Amino acid sequence: MKRKWVLALPVVLGVAVVVAPTASAQPELSGRTVEYSVLAADGAGVRAVGNAVEAAGGTVTRSNAAAGLLTVTAPENGFTDRLGAAREVLYTSRTVAIGHSPEGRRVADQDAIEKENRGQGRHGKRKGAPVGMDPLDGQLWGLSSVRSDLARTEQPGDRRVKVGILDTGVDGSHPDIAPNFDKLLSRNFTHDIPVDENGNTVDGPCEFSGCVDPANWDDGGHGTHVAGTIAAAANGFGISGVAPGVSIVNIRGGQDSGSFFLQPVVDALTYAGDAGLDVVNMSFFVDPWLYNCQANPADTPEQQAQQRTIVKAMTRALNYASRKGVTQVVSLGNQHEDNGAPHDDETSPNFPAGNAHDRVIDNASCLVMPIEGPHTIGVSAFGPSMAKADYSSYGLEQISVSAPGGYYRDYYGTPAFMTNENMILSTYPRNVGVAEGTIDPVTGEITPDGVELGVQEVCRDNVCGYYQFLQGTSMASPHATGVAALIVSEYGKYRGGGVYMDPDDVQRVLEKTAFERPCPTPSTVDYLDEGRDDTFTATCAGDEEFNGFYGHGTVDAFAAVTEGGRYLR
């Protein structure tokens, strides 16, 4: 797999937007108090940077020593200029939302992909003991596609293998999540933000005192869906995951609204390394910039510094986690474009609203994070027919493997076209279903709207679990994450009560045991019959061993746990 990297730019590019005045002529601090991200120069410690921040008139509210990232409050005028003279500081930029889950740029755009069925009016070494299948598993075509049903007879996953869900939260009380949920290790690195500094709604009213959700809570449903696909327990209830014996750890870095801010995401990644997690799933992409460019001429100096801060801090965090033994699996994106030939960007920055402007994107110096960061395994999505999903991004540059992500418009020309069953069924928090009007808040029964969307309920001993259909590369990466967790369970070294396997070895086994799938014939595919425009048309480059639609192939859990040893040094 090819990777593109940006050479380190001189520190002066990000130290300050304006040349700093001399100490004798420091600018006045004025205006309202706002938040900044401050990134330490290479080799500088956060204590030294903190001293520089205080000397410039700011206050450190949060810091991450591993990544050299500090969150700072200071007046909006004068602070950046003052801090610009500090040699300990690499970049300083105003804090904004830097991610959104799933990969669309706004909530409406995200739902248009992942919840496409809405409004359509159609539905439809040490090994654990082998485990069976659960009642709803017959609807999980993705589970059989990756051959988890066979793999679990050999290796269902070891509970000592920890999988981090870096997302909008995990409902740890869900009856299919609770048996595998590690409450002790789970963390929420976010604070709810009711409104932004301009009074615009972000997360809405806080549900819990202190505006901090518990570490077993999910107000969006996205993270819980991801967690269920990876490791829902094989307990005779509801569904089971690809690796039903491993542990789930919530390392929440996303807001209720779906936005991802830099500090919580970096904190979650470095915590994953420090806590000894084995695999982390990331189904989000960096906002407010669809592409984080080093020095795009259409951007202001402050916007350029903001993007460089995001890339540098995320790169440090990804490197840190990898050095600590964390395998990092990332969704490839729902932009339905070749990641190596990006289109012009007309949508960035998308936060705050109203600031987007046209930008010509240079592929060599503009990065989508975290997928284009180091040590990431990129996953594209296909549907039940094995066709590349229309929304899935592709290309030789960032892809590693492909996995089931759902494709609502699969099977055009047949009764299966545009049916819920073409998507991915997984765990659904009750509170989210109530908020979305699919679950009755009093009786707990599925509403007519929920029935239309394929929402399902399983109850036992007065305990009920709910399940919903979604699609996206956000649903593909958890299938690959589950296989990665099985690889660590099978081949990892057990020490100190945990498991260790080099992330490069995990990736090698994952890719080498994937089922090779060639490009379609013809290699250019349009989705016009399916109702898409020509921007969705995609050309598959490469051969059967490696191509832009499927990477090294479709992930195969059974091959991974029975044949993967031959690829280890």
Side-chain angles (χ1 to χ4, degrees):
M1 177 186 358
K2 298 179 180 178
R3 293 282 182 186
K4 64 185 181 191
W5 302 107
V6 179
L7 296 177
L9 295 178
V11 171
V12 69
L13 286 178
V15 168
V17 174
V18 180
V19 175
T22 63
S24 61
Q26 292 228 6
E28 292 293 326
L29 298 176
S30 64
R32 59 186 176 175
T33 298
V34 297
E35 195 173 74
Y36 295 86
S37 293
V38 178
L39 194 64
D42 291 338
V46 293
R47 178 175 296 181
V49 175
N51 291 337
V53 166
E54 292 180 2
T59 301
V60 177
T61 62
R62 196 164 171 177
S63 65
N64 184 301
L69 179 67
L70 298 85
T71 297
V72 171
T73 57
E76 63 180 335
N77 300 317
F79 174 72
T80 304
D81 293 343
R82 285 189 173 195
L83 196 59
R87 289 180 295 180
E88 300 90 350
V89 175
L90 182 59
Y91 303 137
T92 302
S93 64
R94 286 281 297 275
T95 298
V96 295
I98 65 146
H100 219 93
S101 171
E103 297 82 66
R105 307 276 46 99
R106 293 182 177 85
V107 172
D109 294 336
Q110 298 155 25
D111 288 352
I113 293 295
E114 291 205 342
K115 299 179 180 179
E116 191 184 357
N117 59 340
R118 266 61 168 174
Q120 296 292 342
R122 303 188 63 173
H123 59 88
K125 308 305 187 159
R126 170 184 180 275
K127 301 177 185 288
V131 296
M133 307 297 285
D134 282 357
L136 299 183
D137 284 352
Q139 299 180 52
L140 307 187
W141 61 267
L143 203 65
S144 57
S145 175
V146 304
R147 299 208 291 174
S148 171
D149 53 337
L150 297 178
R152 66 186 59 191
T153 66
E154 299 288 332
Q155 176 57 271
D158 192 302
R159 190 171 184 81
R160 291 174 293 182
V161 173
K162 312 291 186 182
V163 179
I165 314 298
L166 207 175
D167 214 290
T168 57
V170 175
D171 178 9
S173 68
H174 191 288
D176 260 326
I177 300 294
N180 290 338
F181 188 73
D182 191 325
K183 186 176 182 179
L184 183 63
L185 285 182
S186 290
R187 298 287 188 275
N188 173 14
F189 293 96
T190 71
H191 286 77
D192 284 354
I193 305 171
V195 297
D196 67 16
E197 59 190 37
N198 297 316
N200 300 311
T201 298
V202 180
D203 295 324
C206 298
E207 302 95 334
F208 298 92
S209 60
C211 284
V212 177
D213 294 343
N216 64 345
W217 188 259
D218 180 10
D219 265 325
H222 189 266
T224 299
H225 195 282
V226 165
T229 296
I230 296 169
N235 56 355
F237 186 102
I239 67 166
S240 62
V242 174
V246 303
S247 294
I248 297 167
V249 182
N250 177 25
I251 50 171
R252 176 176 168 178
Q255 304 297 131
D256 289 345
S257 61
S259 294
F260 283 69
F261 291 86
L262 181 58
Q263 188 81 51
V265 171
V266 168
D267 287 349
L269 277 171
T270 57
Y271 172 77
D274 292 338
L277 304 193
D278 300 288
V279 188
V280 167
N281 186 91
M282 288 179 276
S283 292
F284 65 89
F285 278 76
V286 175
D287 286 331
W289 303 93
L290 178 55
Y291 303 95
N292 292 276
C293 300
Q294 292 291 301
N296 193 297
D299 301 329
T300 67
E302 183 178 13
Q303 290 172 335
Q304 292 173 3
Q306 181 185 91
Q307 294 167 76
R308 292 194 295 267
T309 299
I310 292 169
V311 171
K312 185 71 171 181
M314 288 294 294
T315 297
R316 286 177 176 174
L318 292 165
N319 280 329
Y320 182 85
S322 180
R323 289 196 302 269
K324 292 281 191 172
V326 182
T327 297
Q328 299 166 104
V329 184
V330 183
S331 56
L332 201 60
N334 293 345
Q335 286 78 37
H336 55 84
E337 69 177 3
D338 184 337
N339 285 349
H343 300 152
D344 291 350
D345 181 14
E346 301 174 350
T347 64
S348 302
N350 63 17
F351 185 94
N355 289 290
H357 53 268
D358 294 346
R359 303 193 300 163
V360 176
I361 299 302
D362 170 47
N363 185 51
S365 61
C366 297
L367 301 180
V368 182
M369 298 295 286
I371 185 61
E372 296 192 88
H375 310 294
T376 58
I377 299 173
V379 187
S380 68
F382 59 79
S385 74
M386 305 300 292
K388 183 191 83 71
D390 54 359
Y391 57 79
S392 180
S393 293
Y394 59 97
L396 298 174
E397 190 170 275
Q398 303 302 328
I399 193 170
S400 293
V401 292
S402 58
Y407 178 17
Y408 186 60
R409 304 187 187 209
D410 209 351
Y411 296 120
Y412 172 77
T414 76
F417 177 63
M418 295 183 75
T419 55
N420 294 326
E421 290 74 18
N422 290 340
M423 302 169 76
I424 303 298
L425 184 69
S426 190
T427 39
Y428 188 30
R430 185 183 188 277
N431 61 294
V432 177
V434 169
E436 294 181 343
T438 62
I439 300 171
D440 187 281
V442 177
T443 66
E445 295 179 355
I446 299 171
T447 66
D449 285 346
V451 171
E452 190 90 347
L453 298 173
V455 174
Q456 299 180 45
E457 175 187 21
V458 174
C459 296
R460 185 173 65 192
D461 299 330
N462 295 320
V463 175
C464 296
Y466 299 90
Y467 308 85
Q468 68 167 331
F469 286 100
L470 294 176
Q471 69 173 7
T473 54
S474 286
M475 283 68 248
S477 60
H479 285 88
T481 296
V483 177
L486 292 178
I487 290 169
V488 178
S489 297
E490 180 68 18
Y491 305 110
K493 305 298 182 183
Y494 296 90
R495 62 191 188 194
V499 187
Y500 176 82
M501 186 171 178
D502 189 295
D504 290 341
D505 289 337
V506 178
Q507 181 170 354
R508 184 181 305 108
V509 173
L510 186 70
E511 293 176 349
K512 292 292 187 180
T513 59
F515 186 81
E516 292 179 357
R517 188 165 185 84
C519 288
T521 303
S523 59
T524 296
V525 179
D526 69 55
Y527 301 91
L528 302 177
D529 287 340
E530 289 81 359
R532 299 300 196 184
D533 61 35
D534 58 9
T535 65
F536 283 78
T537 298
T539 298
C540 182
D543 53 26
E544 185 171 2
E545 292 184 356
F546 182 76
N547 61 69
F549 277 15
Y550 302 101
H552 292 277
T554 62
V555 294
D556 187 330
F558 184 65
V561 301
T562 58
E563 303 172 16
R566 71 176 70 174
Y567 302 109
L568 298 174
R569 298 188 182 96

